[in-house]
Amino acid sequence: MEKQSQYEVDLGNLMAFNPSHHFASLPSSREELVKECLQEGTKLVQAIADQLFNLPSTEDIDGPLVSLPPPTTKLPRSKHLPKPKPPTKWESFAQKRGIKKRKKDKVVWDEQTGTWKRRYGYDRVNDDKDVPIIEAKMTDEPGEDPFAKRQAEKKIRVEKQGKNRMQNLKQADKVGALPSHVQLAVTALPITGTKAVPKKVTKHELGDVAGIVATSTASGGKFDKKLPGEKAPKKQGKQRKFLPVVEGTGIGSQEKEQTEKVLNKLMSKHSHEILNVDKAVTMYNVKREKKQKQRKDGQEKSSSTSSKLKPKNKPNKKSVKKGSSNKRKAK
């Protein structure tokens, strides 16, 4: 407890510090330094835990809960304090005239549709798309489309609003109070996201890039139009050479020779893998047995059909004439 009383504990930040700590002797190796730091760190953590358990607590299902006191140590900010933004044109005008900003309702009653709609955004109140008929005015020019006129006026308003926004950003940039998202968009690179300023491209690098672009087509830049004063690219692109479609005695026969070479290489190297002798013999034997079976079945069928078509041999009976029998009876 005497040693723990020497520690400076800030429960608000859960931080402890020993101002009187010093090494008796400088550590000779990194392992000794790490060991000494771990020993001192365990003591500091124990001091924080002892003071936490001395605070008044409330019981909960998960365990005792403690409300931490306000921190006593002022920690430095990682970033500087944001500078106040300069007022925009409208804010300065409203301040001069004494116009106070009042909160508007997000939902407004739309008389055209008879429903509640948003004030701004999609499906808003008094949308131009919901207006089927526009009343003509005395100042309207004959033959002018009122719907097209509304769209043109809206486009002008949007452009004016964008110009005012850019002007406000320029004024904020002079003071150094640009919004954070604008600063990131200006300084960060699109791929890496770092704030490194891109280096200037040299003349040789531009020439190399131009040469690559010039030879990036299928023809290698042969049929592309060249600009006046454009030099030939240093690195010529490689063109793919295709064999002719129609066979002939000259170059047309090369395709046949190439395929034969590939097949010969495959057959010579992987002949044992391509042809499995045992499998081929078994397949041949199975086919042979099937054919023999089919022949036997065919012969049996033909013999059965021929036997059915032949007339059956009946035993011969002696034919007795009717007249002869009657004569014998009469005698």
Side-chain angles (χ1 to χ4, degrees):
M1 293 297 291
E2 292 178 358
K3 288 185 177 180
Q4 289 186 8
S5 61
Q6 297 175 0
Y7 300 151
E8 294 181 2
V9 182
D10 183 8
L11 290 177
N13 292 320
L14 293 176
M15 185 176 67
F17 176 66
N18 186 4
S20 62
H21 177 266
H22 64 280
F23 290 103
S25 62
L26 291 174
S28 59
S29 63
R30 184 175 180 82
E31 294 178 356
E32 291 182 6
L33 178 63
V34 171
K35 189 177 179 181
E36 184 71 23
C37 291
L38 287 173
Q39 288 177 0
E40 191 64 26
T42 51
K43 295 176 184 177
L44 294 171
V45 172
Q46 187 62 44
I48 294 171
D50 292 342
Q51 292 199 17
L52 278 175
F53 279 96
N54 291 330
L55 292 174
S57 61
T58 56
E59 291 297 330
D60 191 56
I61 300 170
D62 299 327
L65 296 178
V66 176
S67 57
L68 297 175
T72 56
T73 307
K74 293 183 179 180
L75 299 175
R77 285 174 60 90
S78 60
K79 295 181 180 180
H80 60 80
L81 288 168
K83 295 180 181 179
K85 296 179 183 179
T88 60
K89 284 185 176 181
W90 166 250
E91 288 175 353
S92 57
F93 175 76
Q95 191 175 4
K96 288 179 182 177
R97 297 293 179 93
I99 301 171
K100 294 182 180 180
K101 187 177 180 180
R102 58 181 181 180
K103 191 175 181 180
K104 296 180 181 179
D105 296 329
K106 292 183 179 180
V107 183
V108 187
W109 178 258
D110 189 10
E111 295 180 355
Q112 296 177 1
T113 58
T115 55
W116 292 93
K117 287 190 175 183
R118 299 187 187 93
R119 186 182 290 273
Y120 305 108
Y122 175 74
D123 196 17
R124 62 184 179 275
V125 69
N126 297 328
D127 194 0
D128 295 340
K129 296 178 182 179
D130 296 336
V131 180
I133 300 170
I134 299 174
E135 295 182 1
K137 298 179 183 179
M138 297 297 293
T139 56
D140 292 343
E141 295 181 1
E144 188 178 13
D145 188 0
F147 295 98
K149 186 179 178 182
R150 276 197 174 191
Q151 289 181 357
E153 289 175 354
K154 183 181 177 181
K155 191 175 181 181
I156 292 168
R157 287 197 306 271
V158 171
E159 289 177 357
K160 187 179 178 181
Q161 188 177 2
K163 287 180 181 178
N164 293 337
R165 180 175 170 275
M166 291 301 296
Q167 194 67 26
N168 293 331
L169 288 174
K170 285 179 182 178
Q171 290 180 1
D173 188 24
K174 289 179 182 178
V175 184
L178 273 175
S180 59
H181 65 280
V182 178
Q183 289 180 5
L184 288 172
V186 172
T187 57
L189 296 175
I191 299 170
T192 59
T194 57
K195 293 186 178 180
V197 181
K199 64 176 184 178
K200 292 183 179 180
V201 184
T202 60
K203 185 179 179 181
H204 297 289
E205 290 176 352
L206 282 173
D208 294 340
V209 173
I212 292 167
V213 172
T215 57
S216 62
T217 55
S219 63
K222 185 177 179 181
F223 303 105
D224 296 342
K225 292 182 180 180
K226 292 185 178 180
L227 297 171
E230 183 181 357
K231 296 180 181 178
K234 294 180 182 178
K235 297 180 181 179
Q236 295 289 341
K238 292 182 180 180
Q239 297 181 6
R240 292 180 65 186
K241 293 181 181 179
F242 298 96
L243 294 172
V245 179
V246 183
E247 282 195 24
T249 56
I251 302 173
S253 62
Q254 289 183 2
E255 186 176 1
K256 189 176 180 181
E257 292 176 0
Q258 285 182 0
T259 52
E260 285 179 355
K261 284 180 182 179
V262 172
L263 288 171
N264 290 331
K265 284 182 180 178
L266 289 171
M267 293 293 289
S268 61
K269 288 183 180 179
H270 307 284
S271 60
H272 62 283
E273 296 178 3
I274 293 170
L275 182 61
N276 191 348
V277 180
D278 297 334
K279 191 174 182 180
V281 170
T282 52
M283 288 175 69
Y284 175 75
N285 292 332
V286 169
K287 286 182 180 178
R288 190 177 177 184
E289 289 175 359
K290 282 184 179 179
K291 285 182 180 179
Q292 289 177 358
K293 193 175 181 182
Q294 286 175 1
R295 284 176 187 174
K296 287 180 181 179
D297 295 340
Q299 289 176 2
E300 290 177 359
K301 285 181 180 179
S302 61
S303 61
S304 63
T305 51
S306 62
S307 62
K308 284 179 182 179
L309 292 171
K310 286 180 181 179
K312 293 182 179 180
N313 295 324
K314 295 181 179 180
N316 294 325
K317 292 183 179 179
K318 291 181 180 181
S319 59
V320 181
K321 292 182 179 179
K322 293 180 179 180
S324 61
S325 60
N326 291 331
K327 285 179 181 179
R328 284 176 184 176
K329 290 178 181 179
K331 287 180 179 180

